[in-house]
Amino acid sequence: MVSRIGLTELYHPPDYQVPTAQVVFVHGLFGHPEKTWSVEKDELQLWPKTLLPREVPDAQIFTWGYDADIDGFFFSAGQSTIHEHAGSLLSDLSDLRGTPEQQAIPLIFVVHGLGGIIVKDALSQSSATAGIRLKDIVPHTYGVIFLGTPHRGSNSASIGKIAYQITRIATKRPNIRLLQGLEKQSEILDRIGDSFNQTILKHGLSVYSFREERVTRRYAVFNTMVVDSESAKIGHANEEYGVIPAGHENMTNFTSLDDIGFKRVSAQLRRWLNDATNLVGT
């Protein structure tokens, strides 16, 4: 069973051998640690659990969840900021990697939307902290695969914020701060982006950014590219780029080993796994 909050292990290499790397999936806004990465057929098919181990059988695979909702009619949304979510991720990873043997295992992140901003901030926090426990995460991180992450913000966040402000009287306590952090020209995104660029340089992190190729349609009023091609790029000299032929929500849903999106993401993971054990922490 996948936990809504925190880390859930989805796969461990056979015979509990030492993994080549730990791959951690982090969902985005309105996402879920299981549903974001699943396709519903007769039942939910969670592809990091059912498909990915066939391509990377030597990796240990996790999904991490956090309260990514803005509001609810029957409950109050969590009030954590991006920075606080990042701190929770960092702490959960540190708890997982409690022994010297575990700390030496390379980390790779696969992230969607807001999840990418949270991971960027978590790695920068790890780089800046004086605490030994949290500081150990970023030196053992090989890289991050971004799927539709709005590094420079999204106009859709502004649209969403206005909609929630209009309807907030019907909700209990909306968390508008998450949407504010994803707006174009957001001071929060600028700060996180500047810090992460320094973290890339300091620790030699690898970065691969996938953008969505299709617009997202909602009824007759919402028809837009949630994260445009410029915002989907960090702009670092060593960054690699790719495209997934889907809209923002569906770019994390892979149905088979032959799905082109799955092929592209899993091939990048395989390349990094081949290199990770030799390069991380040097």
Side-chain angles (χ1 to χ4, degrees), residues 6-7 64-66 80-95 115 117-126 129 133-135 137 191-192:
L7 284 166
W64 185 76
Y66 60 100
S80 292
T81 63
I82 291 173
H83 189 72
E84 288 165 343
H85 282 311
S88 295
L89 172 60
L90 196 58
S91 181
D92 287 347
L93 289 170
S94 297
D95 291 342
I117 305 301
I118 289 171
V119 167
K120 286 165 62 175
D121 199 22
L123 293 175
S124 295
Q125 286 186 40
S126 175
T129 187
R133 187 175 74 94
L134 303 182
K135 199 174 189 69
I137 298 299
R191 175 187 60 77
I192 292 173

Side-chain angles (χ1 to χ4, degrees), residues 4 25-34 36-37 63-69 110-116 118:
R4 180 68 181 83
F25 287 78
V26 181
H27 63 81
L29 192 68
F30 303 117
H32 186 279
E34 180 178 21
T36 290
W37 313 103
T63 185
W64 185 76
Y66 60 100
D67 188 346
D69 295 325
V110 181
V111 298
H112 180 232
L114 172 63
I118 289 171

Side-chain angles (χ1 to χ4, degrees), residues 123-148:
L123 293 175
S124 295
Q125 286 186 40
S126 175
S127 181
T129 187
I132 296 175
R133 187 175 74 94
L134 303 182
K135 199 174 189 69
D136 183 68
I137 298 299
V138 68
H140 291 95
T141 296
Y142 184 89
V144 185
I145 294 177
F146 294 98
L147 304 175

Side-chain angles (χ1 to χ4, degrees), residues 31-51:
H32 186 279
E34 180 178 21
K35 295 176 183 177
T36 290
W37 313 103
S38 297
V39 175
E40 189 165 1
K41 294 183 176 179
D42 295 331
E43 58 184 18
L44 283 180
Q45 176 178 285
L46 179 57
W47 66 264
K49 181 177 182 178
T50 61
L51 298 180

Side-chain angles (χ1 to χ4, degrees), residues 74-278:
F74 301 107
F75 58 87
S76 295
Q79 298 299 306
S80 292
T81 63
I82 291 173
H83 189 72
E84 288 165 343
H85 282 311
S88 295
L89 172 60
L90 196 58
S91 181
D92 287 347
L93 289 170
S94 297
D95 291 342
L96 173 72
R97 298 160 59 87
T99 68
E101 292 76 19
Q102 292 168 330
Q103 291 165 5
I105 299 173
L107 276 164
I108 295 173
F109 295 91
V110 181
V111 298
H112 180 232
L114 172 63
I117 305 301
I118 289 171
V119 167
K120 286 165 62 175
D121 199 22
L123 293 175
S124 295
Q125 286 186 40
S126 175
S127 181
T129 187
I132 296 175
R133 187 175 74 94
L134 303 182
K135 199 174 189 69
D136 183 68
I137 298 299
V138 68
H140 291 95
T141 296
Y142 184 89
V144 185
I145 294 177
F146 294 98
L147 304 175
T149 291
H151 300 289
R152 294 175 177 80
S154 169
N155 288 327
S156 298
S158 298
I159 295 169
K161 189 182 75 172
I162 292 169
Y164 277 103
Q165 287 174 333
I166 292 171
T167 61
R168 71 183 184 272
I169 191 170
T171 67
K172 293 196 174 184
R173 194 181 175 199
N175 186 359
I176 297 298
R177 291 183 295 179
L178 288 182
L179 282 174
Q180 289 174 330
L182 294 177
E183 289 184 293
K184 291 281 189 180
Q185 300 179 330
S186 162
E187 180 275 332
I188 296 171
L189 285 184
D190 287 345
R191 175 187 60 77
I192 292 173
D194 290 345
S195 295
F196 188 65
N197 282 334
Q198 294 302 312
T199 301
I200 292 175
L201 291 172
K202 182 177 179 180
H203 298 280
L205 301 180
S206 295
V207 173
Y208 200 109
S209 295
F210 285 98
R211 67 173 178 86
E212 60 216 59
E213 191 172 49
R214 299 172 185 166
V215 299
T216 295
R217 291 182 171 86
R218 279 287 181 274
Y219 312 110
V221 297
F222 189 83
N223 184 6
T224 187
M225 195 74 73
V226 175
V227 180
D228 62 41
S229 59
E230 287 305 309
S231 189
K233 300 176 182 179
I234 291 175
H236 192 272
N238 295 328
E239 181 182 14
E240 296 183 85
Y241 308 107
V243 177
I244 292 179
H248 186 73
E249 289 186 5
N250 296 327
M251 69 187 304
T252 61
N253 305 141
F254 305 142
T255 58
S256 72
L257 296 173
D258 295 324
D259 190 307
I260 186 60
F262 176 78
K263 285 183 175 181
R264 290 173 179 173
V265 172
S266 63
Q268 189 58 43
L269 279 172
R270 183 69 269 168
R271 284 191 289 270
W272 283 2
L273 284 166
N274 289 341
D275 293 338
T277 52
N278 296 324

